[in-house]
Amino acid sequence: MEHLFAWQTDAFSFVEDMRLDKYLCDAGVGTRSEVKKILKKEPVYINGNPEKDPGFQVKEEDEIVFRKEMLSREEFFYYLFHKPAGCVCAAVDHVHDTVFKYIPMNRKKDLSTVGRLDLDTEGLLLVTNDGIFHHAMTSPKREVPKLYYAEVTGTLIEEDIVKFASGLDIGDDKPAKPAKLEIISSGDTSVGLVTVTEGRFHEVKRLFFACGKEVTYLKRLSMGDFQLDEALKPGEFRKFNEKEMNYVKKYKSGTI
C-alpha cells in the first residue's frame, strides 16, 4: 500500500506569484467557485490590506488572513477531533450525522478519518488527507496502540486481565491479539482502561462481551502518541500542534 502514496510531499512551494482564489483553495478555504462567492461578500487581508479580487497575485512572502486566521498554502491537513457519540465516521450517511458535520465545509479537502469509532463511542479521532500518515497509523503491521476508557456492567476481576492478555476468541476466524486491561474500579458497574493494537469491528466491546461484561460507555483517549485534548469539547477540533506534527514525521518515516 505504501507505494500508492509515494507521489505525496509534505508541502507545496511557490514557483511564481499565484492568484488569490487559487491560494485560498490550496489553503482549504473552499473550492474555486466557493472562494469567489466568499470574496464577493467579505475580504481577505493581505499584509493588513483588505482584498476581494480573486485574480490578485499573491507573493510567497505575503501574510494572508481570513476571518482572523492566518492562512498557509498547505497540501496536507491534520486535525485532532473530539468525536461525540451519535455520529458516524463516514463522509455521507442518510440516517446519522457524520463527523464532517462538525468540520466546516471549507476545510473538507479530501479529508478522511484515521480509523473509525463506533456510533456511540466518543473520544480521539484523527482526521487528515495525508495518505502516507493515514496508512502508517492504521496498517495492521504497525500495531499502533489505542487506549480506551470503558464503563461496563458486571464485576471486573483479575481473571479478565489474564483473558485479555491471552488473546480472546471474539467470534472472528482468528482470536484477537493480546490486549491490556487495567481495572480502575470494580463492582456492579466497573471501569477499566483497555489498550488494543488492532482495529477490528467493535473490538473493545466484543472483548468485554467475551468476559461476560457489557460496555455501557466507551471513549478513546489516545492513538499511538496522539492524545485526546481535554480542552476540546465533544464536537470540537483543532489543527495538530508542533509536537504532533513532529509525530507525523516520525510515523511517516517509520521511526515510531
Side-chain angles (χ1 to χ4, degrees), residues 125-160:
L125 190 66
L126 307 180
V127 181
T128 187
N129 63 338
D130 184 340
I132 295 177
F133 173 63
H134 186 288
H135 180 66
M137 294 296 294
T138 58
S139 171
K141 294 181 179 179
R142 300 294 289 272
E143 296 189 343
V144 174
K146 293 163 280 287
L147 175 65
Y148 293 84
Y149 168 93
E151 296 178 2
V152 303
T153 57
T155 303
L156 288 174
I157 57 178
E158 291 297 319
E159 183 180 352
D160 294 325

Side-chain angles (χ1 to χ4, degrees), residues 57-233:
Q57 294 295 303
V58 177
K59 301 181 185 300
E60 182 174 6
E61 64 271 17
D62 288 340
E63 291 187 351
I64 316 297
V65 176
F66 176 61
R67 295 175 180 170
K68 299 182 179 181
E69 179 181 352
M70 182 76 74
L71 300 182
S72 61
R73 185 174 180 250
E74 301 168 307
E75 179 179 10
F76 297 130
F77 295 81
Y78 308 89
Y79 299 111
L80 193 151
F81 177 57
H82 188 163
K83 177 191 174 297
C87 66
V88 296
C89 298
V92 178
D93 190 281
H94 299 296
V95 178
H96 304 287
D97 289 336
T98 79
V99 297
F100 295 104
K101 168 189 174 182
Y102 299 90
I103 299 178
M105 285 296 292
N106 61 4
R107 296 178 184 267
K108 292 181 185 176
K109 190 166 182 174
D110 303 321
L111 296 175
S112 63
T113 62
V114 180
R116 293 173 178 266
L117 290 177
D118 299 337
L119 173 67
D120 57 353
T121 300
E122 66 176 71
L124 175 67
L125 190 66
L126 307 180
V127 181
T128 187
N129 63 338
D130 184 340
I132 295 177
F133 173 63
H134 186 288
H135 180 66
M137 294 296 294
T138 58
S139 171
K141 294 181 179 179
R142 300 294 289 272
E143 296 189 343
V144 174
K146 293 163 280 287
L147 175 65
Y148 293 84
Y149 168 93
E151 296 178 2
V152 303
T153 57
T155 303
L156 288 174
I157 57 178
E158 291 297 319
E159 183 180 352
D160 294 325
I161 296 176
V162 175
K163 288 180 178 179
F164 269 63
S166 67
L168 282 163
D169 180 357
I170 58 174
D172 294 335
D173 293 337
K174 296 181 180 179
K177 289 185 177 180
K180 179 182 178 182
L181 169 63
E182 178 183 351
I183 299 174
I184 304 301
S185 64
S186 186
D188 292 339
T189 297
S190 300
V191 176
L193 294 176
V194 181
T195 302
V196 297
T197 58
E198 296 181 288
R200 298 196 196 187
F201 181 69
H202 289 176
E203 182 173 9
V204 174
K205 295 176 181 177
R206 292 158 71 195
L207 287 170
F208 278 112
F209 185 78
C211 294
K213 316 297 190 297
E214 181 180 358
V215 173
T216 57
Y217 176 77
L218 191 61
K219 180 178 183 178
R220 183 154 70 188
L221 302 179
S222 67
M223 184 175 188
D225 289 283
F226 298 90
Q227 298 184 357
L228 178 64
D229 186 342
E230 294 295 348
L232 295 176
K233 298 177 182 178

